[in-house]
């Protein structure tokens, strides 16, 4: 059976600070960060050992719904604008 347990090296203070800045909804009992409850966008952080791991996992997770049919308005508002904060890239949005 899979255990839902955070890695001891992971600094939860850093994770919660990041979640607040990144506007994540919450973290559940399965060690999943609910990035956006309305679009069911979430990521497991069970195996993350650092904040950089968490950010990389979030980036990978958020890219998938964009390419898999998330409505354009949700993709722009929920995902692309947030991804922009993780990268040193200036996305241009077309209305």
């Amino acid at each position: 059976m899979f255990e839902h347990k955070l890695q001891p090296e992971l600094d939860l203070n850093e994770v919660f600070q990041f979640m607040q800045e990144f506007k994540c909804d919450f973290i559940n009992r399965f060690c999943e960060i609910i990035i956006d409850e309305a679009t069911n966008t979430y990521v497991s952080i069970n195996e993350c050992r650092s904040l950089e791991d968490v950010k990389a996992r979030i980036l990978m997770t958020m890219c998938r719904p964009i390419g898999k049919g998330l409505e354009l308005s949700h993709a722009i508002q929920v995902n692309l604008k947030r991804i922009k904060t993780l990268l040193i890239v200036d996305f241009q949005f077309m209305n």
Side-chain angles (χ1 to χ4, degrees), residues 8-81:
E9 309 89 70
L10 186 60
D11 183 345
L12 285 178
N13 289 327
E14 283 184 343
V15 172
F16 286 122
Q17 178 66 34
F18 170 74
M19 286 175 60
Q20 191 173 33
E21 293 167 2
F22 201 66
K23 298 182 174 90
C24 295
D25 289 342
F26 58 93
I27 187 167
N28 67 19
R29 64 188 171 119
F30 302 112
C31 304
E32 296 169 331
I33 293 177
I34 310 304
I35 300 165
D36 185 66
E37 190 173 18
T39 59
N40 196 30
T41 305
Y42 64 93
V43 62
S44 172
I45 60 169
N46 280 319
E47 298 176 14
C48 295
R49 299 183 185 281
S50 68
L51 184 58
E52 288 73 27
D53 288 350
V54 171
K55 288 179 180 181
R57 187 70 65 92
I58 285 175
L59 181 61
M60 290 186 303
T61 299
M62 291 181 77
C63 288
R64 190 172 196 287
I66 292 170
K68 286 290 191 181
L70 188 64
E71 290 181 26
L72 183 60
S73 62
H74 288 271
I76 290 171
Q77 288 182 339
V78 175
N79 292 352
L80 290 177
K81 287 184 180 179

